Amino acid sequence: MGRISAQERRESVIRAAIAEFAIAGYHGTTTAAIARRVGVTQPYLFRLFPGKKAIFIAALTRSMEDTRLAFEGAADGVEDGERALQAMKNAYVQLISTRPETLLMQMQGYAAVGAAEAQGDDVIGEVVRAGWMRIWETVHLSLGADAGRTAGFFACGMLGTTLAAMGLSPNAGR
């Protein structure tokens, strides 16, 4: 097998970090756990990223962009708002069933904002808010800029993500 480039290794660190942070959150995840999951040493990890916070931000950014791209791809070329809504709902169900860590990572990001900002650190909050707005805009435009439909889509999605975080089916209670 050939050598893995630093960029490919960086990608594997981001994916491993998403999995680790999704489970244990920012404070509960160690860089040692991320390094173990990837199969690298901690010193190598810190050659790729300057610190744990940079890894967290990269993982958070990637998870939010993956979600946005899933919605964008689902609605691409769909002209009817109702069909776009259904396509994005299906994309959400697919995402939460095959890659729940993507959405759970985002929940960890939301939870980390308040704690970080209470300590005077606005960076995580800025990343979360910018990522959220990109996702919102993608869905909103796909639904014909209908604010009520967009809010309803996100309300149901957040409910599904919360249920999944608790170990319940996203359909629990229906």
Side-chain angles (χ1 to χ4, degrees):
M1 267 183 104
R3 291 181 51 122
I4 295 175
S5 72
Q7 185 58 37
E8 291 169 320
R9 186 64 77 185
R10 186 176 167 79
E11 285 299 312
S12 64
V13 168
I14 291 170
R15 294 289 175 202
I18 288 171
E20 292 293 332
F21 287 126
I23 296 165
Y26 181 74
H27 293 291
T29 299
T30 65
T31 55
I34 296 168
R36 264 192 313 277
R37 185 179 281 263
V38 178
V40 299
T41 64
Q42 276 185 287
Y44 185 79
L45 195 69
F46 292 121
R47 278 188 248 151
L48 299 171
F49 295 91
K52 179 179 173 178
K53 181 177 166 185
I55 298 168
F56 185 77
I57 288 171
L60 185 55
T61 300
R62 173 59 51 75
S63 70
M64 295 183 97
E65 183 62 6
D66 286 352
T67 301
R68 190 194 71 73
L69 289 170
F71 294 149
E72 181 180 76
D76 188 38
V78 179
E79 298 295 325
D80 176 51
E82 189 59 39
R83 292 203 350 254
L85 177 65
Q86 191 56 53
M88 288 187 295
K89 283 181 180 180
N90 293 343
Y92 170 81
V93 169
Q94 177 71 17
L95 189 60
I96 203 163
S97 65
T98 61
R99 295 177 31 217
E101 69 279 0
T102 300
L103 298 166
L104 297 176
M105 174 70 215
Q106 289 170 50
M107 287 191 74
Q108 294 291 354
Y110 305 149
V113 170
E117 289 182 349
Q119 295 178 348
D121 181 353
D122 295 335
V123 175
I124 293 172
E126 290 168 6
V127 168
V128 167
R129 287 185 286 274
W132 171 257
M133 291 309 300
R134 282 190 298 275
I135 295 169
W136 172 274
E137 192 69 18
T138 296
V139 170
H140 189 59
L141 293 176
S142 297
L143 297 178
D146 183 321
R149 249 185 168 163
T150 305
F153 176 82
F154 280 102
C156 289
M158 288 303 291
L159 175 60
T161 302
T162 302
L163 292 169
M166 294 186 297
L168 296 171
S169 164
N171 295 319
R174 286 191 185 181

